[in-house]
Amino acid sequence: MLLIGLTGSIATGKSTVSALLSQPPYSLPIIDADLLARQVVEPGTRAYKQILAHFAATTPDLLLPADTNPSTAPTSPHDLNGSPQVPHPSSHAPPPRSRPLNRPALGRRVFGRTPSRQRDRAVLNSIVHPAVRRAMAAAVLRAYLARHWAVVLDVPLLFESGLDIFCGTVLVVGVREPRVQMQRLRARDPHLSEREAGERVQSQGGVEGKVRRVRERGEGWGAVVWNDGGKGELKEGVAGVMGGVEAGSPRWWGLVLLGAPWLAVGVGAWCVVWGWWARRRWERKEREREREEDGGGMGVAKL
């Protein structure tokens, strides 16, 4: 079974591409990291308790009000990015410590460039990411047992979390103009100021870096889906990219792997080795690029 990693920066159209891949003619199962990230922090879970232990004392509004019905708690995939929430009154208020997280409040706590916010974001990631990985592994296993030829891992921080090395191919959804990304984000979330929108973009990494990384994987191992135009152009772009993906990993090969688990394990191990090598090669080139930029800057300063 082919693991297709899908990533991109905020407001580049990754969710739209994910929706297209879940529909005919592709009809691929989607493992949505944002959805799993909400599920693993529901009241009563281990991650929920860990978040309360670290953030509750210094974040008074960490939990939703007691008159909010947990069954109608925030479900938007952008809640941690600060999307507004509409409370739903209920006559049965949940007891303390069983109320859902107030995601906008938690988002305000961890997004930003100050050292304290970066530390808080690192703590939150150290709690949520392992729980999401476990849930993701279980979902991949279910997709394999259901005999799907491929599955999409929809992960905003695919490269940053190291999950790219497990993917047979990676798709990056990007825009060429940063202003287009900012315009889309502020149109989607009008309550964000320009500074807050910029912080959201920085938190998920720039598009250029992701594009360089996926290209470093090589042809057949990754591709860029450009989303600078309308939905029609995006559909054509997805069709072109998926045509290449299926050519490199045809459905009959997926069926062969389904029938030969030992072969599937070997192919999976080779993909991990290749992904690890591509990551190391990219890191080396990035260090060289940074040294060249620093050297160039020093040369200008001496003038």
Side-chain angles (χ1 to χ4, degrees):
M1 184 178 70
L2 177 65
L3 298 185
I4 302 174
L6 177 64
T7 190
S9 189
I10 190 171
T12 57
K14 178 180 63 64
S15 297
T16 303
V17 172
S18 179
L20 290 173
L21 293 177
S22 70
Q23 302 166 5
Y26 316 108
S27 301
L28 296 176
I30 308 295
I31 300 176
D32 188 338
D34 282 336
L35 177 60
L36 294 178
R38 294 195 300 278
Q39 293 175 345
V40 300
V41 297
E42 290 178 350
T45 61
R46 179 183 177 185
Y48 174 87
K49 295 174 183 177
Q50 291 175 322
I51 291 173
L52 290 189
H54 184 83
F55 293 99
T58 54
T59 312
D61 55 348
L62 180 63
L63 300 179
L64 289 174
D67 60 351
T68 301
N69 188 337
S71 66
T72 55
T75 58
S76 167
H78 309 293
D79 293 335
L80 283 181
N81 293 331
S83 296
Q85 303 301 326
V86 179
H88 298 268
S90 172
S91 58
H92 302 286
R97 301 276 172 167
S98 66
R99 306 198 308 267
L101 295 173
N102 184 347
R103 295 176 181 275
L106 185 57
R108 289 191 294 270
R109 173 69 184 270
V110 302
F111 283 114
R113 302 181 184 180
T114 63
S116 62
R117 291 195 176 188
Q118 291 176 348
R119 286 193 298 269
D120 285 337
R121 188 161 65 249
V123 170
L124 181 63
N125 288 341
S126 70
I127 294 172
V128 176
H129 287 181
V132 171
R133 289 191 186 99
R134 290 191 293 270
M136 190 173 292
V140 169
L141 178 60
R142 288 194 295 270
Y144 176 78
L145 295 177
R147 305 184 70 82
H148 290 286
W149 78 276
V151 63
V152 177
L153 305 183
D154 183 345
V155 187
L157 300 178
L158 184 76
F159 292 116
E160 294 81 354
S161 61
L163 292 174
D164 58 301
I165 69 171
F166 299 102
C167 298
T169 190
V170 173
L171 307 182
V172 171
V173 185
V175 293
R176 294 180 176 86
E177 292 292 335
R179 61 178 180 81
V180 173
Q181 185 180 4
M182 289 289 290
Q183 288 171 354
R184 288 177 178 172
L185 177 57
R186 298 194 68 186
R188 190 190 73 191
D189 298 335
H191 64 286
L192 294 178
S193 67
E194 185 173 354
R195 179 183 62 82
E196 291 172 331
E199 290 175 350
R200 300 301 192 271
V201 171
Q202 290 297 320
S203 71
Q204 290 194 9
V207 175
E208 293 181 0
K210 294 178 188 288
V211 169
R212 287 199 303 271
R213 293 188 75 151
V214 77
R215 285 177 171 169
E216 191 61 40
R217 287 176 63 91
E219 186 176 354
W221 294 86
V224 181
V225 180
W226 292 111
N227 185 26
D228 296 283
K231 191 170 183 179
E233 295 176 61
L234 180 60
K235 284 184 177 181
E236 292 179 1
V238 170
V241 167
M242 287 304 296
V245 170
E246 291 200 39
S249 183
R251 293 174 184 263
W252 64 264
W253 176 241
L255 294 175
V256 170
L257 295 181
L258 287 171
W262 59 271
L263 180 60
V265 171
V267 172
W270 165 246
C271 287
V272 171
V273 171
W274 174 268
W276 176 85
W277 180 78
R279 170 183 284 270
R280 292 294 299 271
R281 184 175 59 183
W282 177 83
E283 291 173 347
R284 184 174 64 252
K285 288 188 176 182
E286 283 296 293
R287 288 194 295 267
E288 293 174 355
R289 185 178 64 86
E290 291 173 0
R291 283 197 296 268
E292 290 177 359
E293 291 178 351
D294 292 342
M298 291 175 63
V300 171
K302 291 179 180 179
L303 295 176

